[in-house]
Amino acid sequence: MNDRNVIRVEGTDRTFHRYRILLVLMVPIALALMAISSINVALPTIEQGLGASPADLQWALSGYALAFGIVLIPAGRIGDTVGRSMLFTVGLAVFTLASLACGLASTPAALNLARLAQGIGAALYNPQVMGMIQQLFSGRGRARAFALLGMVIAVSVAVGPLVAGTMIAWLGPHDGWRASFLLNTPLGLVGVVLALRWLPFGRERQRRRLAREARAVRARGGALDRRRERLDLDPVGALLLAVAVLCVMFPFTAHGSTWLWSLVPLGLVLLGGWLGWERAYRARGHAPMVDPALFAFPSFSFGTAVSGIFFVGSTSIFVIAALFLQQGLGASALATGLVTLPNAILSAGSAHWSGRHTVDHGRSIVVGAIVLIAGSCVAAVGVARAVVDLGASFWWLALPWALAGIGQGALGAANQTMTLEDVPSEVGGTAGGVMSTAQRIGTAIGNAMITSIFFGAAAGSGFLVAFRTAYLTIAAVLLVAAVIAVGDLRVARRRTVSSDAARSPSSERSDGPVPTVQEYGGLGRTR
């Protein structure tokens, strides 16, 4: 075994292997994302099997998204502070049990409650994945790890509808959708067992040691340093952020009264109040849930913005695909899943390629990948017109969606690496939670906006016009993300020039190098 891949932690003589840890982390990520994408093709059969109303179906989608979005950042902070391995394992166990409850649900209400629990479980373990990659890998090794993560994300989102469609075709509309949930149960149980065996639980062991030392000091009648003993999780900051995210996401995920839209500006005000609280909390010498200094890293701020805007458009690509194929063209759930299979295959290949080139060309890859996906959406509009007007087979749509897969795989690896490249590993889970929350908010906004555009156009002008309008809107949103990515690329190049000039003794430029972690207020230093 290569010693460079062996990890030793305080409190045990056991050794741990980086790539075993990485394997444990990847499977639950795939399960969480398949739980998002697979339900798109299962909704019609859930409606039949449970007698669900349109509102029930909407909550099956939005309940998961809301719970996921609200819990992500607090989960990242708790993992950074208390222990990532423990929270990862607990989250996976919750997700596994909730998946079992989804598959056994006898009423729409039971299904929706189980979906909420699924979202909470997925949100508990999701930021721990980024945190542990940030902690355990560096340089090109970290890029390869994020490439694998990007591959898993791209493939699982594309394969989810195929798995659900296959189950429905094999077991029928009443049991097939249940099987698509129940499949998570054995996989999740295996994941929990492997997590307990292969994850290091380093912070957890350290905290147990400190607790033993504290008990020994008390037994001797000594005094403890209360500042070191106290666990500061910033509950006010956590509550403010949770309510703010709920206010922003809820109107986009729940179809109801128009007054719900007044929650969006309220949520934005609460977000501003939350940032103010975090700054004041830090100024008083406490540890805020998210240190505002995190956003002073240009790479993190730009990358998070790119990711959030990208998800406004990209996550609707296959939602609209499923609606167009099944409702517009009468395709089966299985065919809908199969036509997107080339997307998954090429996503995997491009993610691997991206991981090998991200360190040297990551930001250029991000820009090129987003433009490629936007172009594939425009190409899909042309193919859809040929299908409807000229009688071409809908299988030709696999070509532009495969092209999108190349971009999706390349983007995931590069943007994850570039966004977190300057973030200290001590706050990697929190940073991952912030980034994932931006993605979830983007997903909620995008799905609500794009599907509304699709159904509005379909009611008045038919499914072809609806598909065209929705996909061109997606392309426009993606180009906005590309513009932000270009800004990140230009800033990074200026930073490189400034750093080179600062290192040159003969240079007379006044531009200094990129500020250090300490110059950003000590973000990431051990408190």
Side-chain angles (χ1 to χ4, degrees):
M1 185 177 291
N2 189 336
D3 286 343
R4 290 180 302 175
N5 293 324
V6 171
I7 298 170
R8 293 175 173 83
V9 298
E10 179 185 355
T12 179
D13 294 330
R14 288 183 58 199
T15 58
F16 303 88
H17 194 273
R18 279 186 174 85
Y19 287 95
R20 286 182 180 174
I21 294 171
L22 197 58
L23 175 63
V24 174
L25 301 180
M26 292 301 107
V27 174
I29 287 292
L31 296 180
L33 291 167
M34 288 173 65
I36 295 174
S37 63
S38 63
I39 198 170
N40 292 325
V41 299
L43 287 176
T45 56
I46 291 174
E47 183 178 18
Q48 295 175 29
L50 293 181
S53 67
D56 292 327
L57 297 178
Q58 179 63 29
W59 273 107
L61 288 170
S62 61
Y64 182 96
L66 282 170
F68 198 65
I70 290 170
V71 176
L72 274 168
I73 297 178
R77 167 61 192 282
I78 294 171
D80 289 344
T81 305
V82 176
R84 293 166 183 151
S85 299
M86 180 195 70
L87 208 60
F88 176 91
T89 307
V90 169
L92 180 55
V94 171
F95 179 88
T96 301
L97 293 174
S99 297
L100 177 64
C102 287
L104 299 178
S106 58
T107 65
L111 174 62
N112 290 334
L113 286 174
R115 284 285 285 174
L116 282 169
Q118 245 194 341
I120 292 171
L124 288 175
Y125 68 69
N126 186 280
Q128 317 316 324
V129 173
M130 292 189 193
M132 280 194 264
I133 290 176
Q134 194 79 351
Q135 174 187 352
L136 300 176
F137 295 87
S138 61
R140 295 185 186 276
R142 182 181 293 171
R144 287 193 294 270
F146 277 126
L148 179 60
L149 177 61
M151 180 183 71
V152 169
I153 290 172
V155 172
S156 56
V157 168
V159 167
L162 175 61
V163 172
T166 301
M167 293 292 183
I168 292 167
W170 179 30
L171 299 174
H174 291 286
D175 295 324
W177 68 268
R178 294 183 183 277
S180 68
F181 285 113
L182 294 174
L183 182 64
N184 292 331
T185 305
L187 295 175
L189 288 174
V190 170
V192 169
V193 172
L194 292 180
L196 292 172
R197 287 181 57 84
W198 287 354
L199 295 186
F201 291 86
R203 179 63 63 86
E204 294 84 349
R205 296 177 197 275
Q206 182 186 51
R207 290 188 61 81
R208 284 198 296 270
R209 178 183 63 79
L210 292 174
R212 287 194 300 269
E213 292 176 356
R215 287 195 296 270
V217 170
R218 289 193 189 96
R220 294 193 299 268
L224 294 173
D225 184 345
R226 295 293 177 183
R227 291 174 299 177
R228 290 179 58 86
E229 187 182 24
R230 184 170 59 89
L231 181 63
D232 188 355
L233 293 178
D234 186 14
V236 174
L239 180 62
L240 274 174
L241 181 64
V243 176
V245 171
L246 177 64
C247 289
V248 172
M249 288 184 67
F250 188 74
F252 292 99
T253 55
H255 296 304
S257 303
T258 55
W259 69 265
L260 288 175
W261 294 104
S262 64
L263 293 176
V264 175
L266 175 60
L268 296 176
V269 170
L270 288 173
L271 279 175
W274 168 71
L275 282 172
W277 166 265
E278 298 292 76
R279 291 191 183 97
Y281 198 67
R282 184 177 181 277
R284 294 198 299 271
H286 297 291
M289 184 177 64
V290 178
D291 196 320
L294 186 64
F295 297 100
F297 292 106
S299 56
F300 179 77
S301 295
F302 271 111
T304 301
V306 168
S307 192
I309 298 297
F310 175 78
F311 270 69
V312 170
S314 66
T315 50
S316 299
I317 290 175
F318 290 110
V319 175
I320 299 302
L323 291 170
F324 179 65
L325 289 170
Q326 292 183 267
Q327 297 186 15
L329 302 180
S332 67
L334 178 57
T336 299
L338 285 172
V339 78
T340 61
L341 184 58
N343 173 283
I345 295 171
L346 291 177
S347 291
S350 64
H352 176 71
W353 172 87
S354 178
R356 290 190 288 112
H357 297 280
T358 286
V359 171
D360 298 319
H361 307 289
R363 288 180 172 83
S364 297
I365 292 173
V366 170
V367 174
I370 297 174
V371 172
L372 180 62
I373 299 167
S376 73
C377 290
V378 176
V381 171
V383 175
R385 182 174 181 181
V387 170
V388 174
D389 293 344
L390 303 179
S393 170
F394 68 77
W395 292 99
W396 286 106
L397 282 165
L399 292 177
W401 288 333
L403 192 66
I406 297 173
Q408 289 166 334
L411 176 71
N415 197 50
Q416 295 275 12
T417 304
M418 293 295 99
T419 301
L420 299 176
E421 67 173 344
D422 296 323
V423 173
S425 62
E426 292 88 344
V427 291
T430 303
V434 172
M435 187 178 181
S436 296
T437 300
Q439 294 171 354
R440 299 284 72 79
I441 292 174
T443 297
I445 293 172
N447 280 341
M449 179 177 71
I450 305 298
T451 54
S452 295
I453 289 171
F454 178 86
F455 285 122
S461 305
F463 283 102
L464 176 60
V465 173
F467 183 84
R468 180 181 66 200
T469 307
Y471 261 51
L472 292 180
T473 303
I474 290 171
V477 172
L478 294 179
L479 290 177
V480 173
V483 170
I484 299 173
V486 169
D488 185 24
L489 176 62
R490 295 181 64 182
V491 168
R493 285 175 175 171
R494 287 200 297 269
R495 286 166 51 192
T496 300
V497 171
S498 298
S499 297
D500 291 344
R503 286 194 294 266
S504 173
S506 61
S507 173
E508 295 182 358
R509 292 174 59 95
S510 60
D511 305 50
V514 181
T516 64
V517 171
Q518 284 74 21
E519 288 168 330
Y520 278 133
L523 178 64
R525 290 183 297 186
T526 303
R527 296 183 182 279

